[in-house]
Amino acid sequence: MQVMPLSAGKESDMESEQNKRMTKDAIIQELIALLNQSQQKEAANSVYEMAALIDGMEQKLDLVTEELLSVRKQLERMEQEKANKSLKAVLKKSVDSLEQQCHKMKEQLFEIKEEVREKASEIVAEVKKMPLQNILNVLPQAADVVITEGNLPDVKIRADKADDKWTLNIDGTIDGLKGSLINYPVTKGSGKFSADTEALKFAGLNLEVAGQTVIIDGNVYYAEKPEAKQTYALTVNAPSFVIEALSPGLGLKDAVTALGKVKGTIDKPEAEGTFGLDKLAYDPLYITALSGKFLYKDGKLNIGDAIGNVYAGQVNVNGQIDTKTKDFKLEVQGIDLDSSVVTETQVDGPLSFKMLAIGTADAGSATGAGSFRIEEGKYMMLPFRSIKGSITRQQGKFAFSNIKIATAVGSFDTNIIVKDNGKLGFDLDKGFLAAQLGEK
């Protein structure tokens, strides 16, 4: 059987691959670097020693190959010198056998190198794209916070042993985060995290919640006892959160700035804080400098002590949004508004109102009902004791009914018309005018 020289055929391609020493291989070096970054020095050394061993075996096979080539040349000279034929045959047979074995060993070594390279690539890829759930397995899923996707592209893991006890410390970044937060969809998220024996810590965790930016910092502390629960200690910042993202039925496109803290256990979190916005269009009301407090608990977002300015008076808002169903109920109260601004000087007097607004997750579902009253004022310079009536709001528009105007000489009916510019106009009964003029 004739054996091809080791430098011929496909062996040349294999040899070019083999000439790339394992200790110099890019993926091996990357794996060693990742292990060193994660403080896994022993594992990094083991990988390097394995690569060096393969390199050493490869170098020895190269030396054997060179020796066999030298023996072949000597056999060629023996043939020219007419040496003993039986001796030449024995030597040739031995060289052929050794060459075959060397060929097989090089093929096996090549396969080993490829397998090591493939495994190293898998490990590096796995570390770079480690599923976030692997890190968060210490935290049970809860209805308020659910993580469905997420990667850890950069992770450093350090294991330390003290007093016969191992501790694990992790640092890294998060990206591709998806899930839900208090029943609102999280479509993307990224930031930094770390974990030690006490807590999982977040820094600048930037989430897109219901299409709005929410930034989270702080810790989730592990339970100290098996029967205890993990606890939150987080700060939450929403720099510009569009109101209708809380429930499409609200129909309010202005954005609030909110800042709060999350506490409580992982299965019963609570969040409280403050919010504010420069302006809020609630036709025909234009509220400015509105600020208040919020409290999230048991799936409900409560709004309280919200106070703003409107038409030289004050407006108060209190209520609740169900984060699961997106149903809402809000109480809106206006105190001492300047009615001359609302009616373009037609009526003068302090205006107050109360209204309950309710709605669902459906856009345009919001409705409102309540009452209003104007005390001790004047209509076109004619005095009245009060004007009161009912108010409703539907499809973003106010309507007025059952309006009565009380005077010193009796009570009269009137209508209120909402003008194109959003201002209110009174269509007072002629009897009121005649009575007032007659009295005067």
Side-chain angles (χ1 to χ4, degrees), residues 18 26 46-47 86 88 106 129 143 146 160 167 172 175 194 196-197 199 240 252 385 393 398 427 433 440:
Q18 288 174 327
S46 296
V47 172
S86 61
K88 287 192 293 183
K106 278 208 166 189
K129 292 296 180 183
V146 177
D160 300 315
T167 60
D175 68 14
S194 63
D196 55 23
T197 56
S240 182
L252 301 174
R385 292 179 176 175
R393 182 177 171 86
F398 275 104
D427 180 19
L433 296 176
K440 195 169 182 180

Side-chain angles (χ1 to χ4, degrees), residues 12-46:
S12 60
D13 295 332
M14 188 173 72
E15 210 166 49
S16 65
E17 274 298 316
Q18 288 174 327
N19 287 335
K20 298 176 182 176
R21 298 301 183 197
M22 288 294 287
T23 51
K24 302 295 183 183
D25 188 88
I27 195 66
I28 296 297
Q29 289 183 335
E30 188 172 3
L31 176 58
I32 291 171
L34 279 172
L35 291 169
N36 281 323
Q37 287 173 6
S38 303
Q39 306 300 315
Q40 301 296 305
K41 302 292 185 185
E42 188 175 339
N45 290 338
S46 296

Side-chain angles (χ1 to χ4, degrees), residues 93-110:
K93 185 177 180 180
S94 298
V95 170
D96 288 346
S97 176
L98 286 171
E99 208 167 47
Q100 282 182 342
Q101 291 180 38
C102 190
H103 179 79
K104 287 180 180 179
M105 290 175 69
K106 278 208 166 189
E107 282 187 336
Q108 290 172 351
L109 188 60
F110 178 77

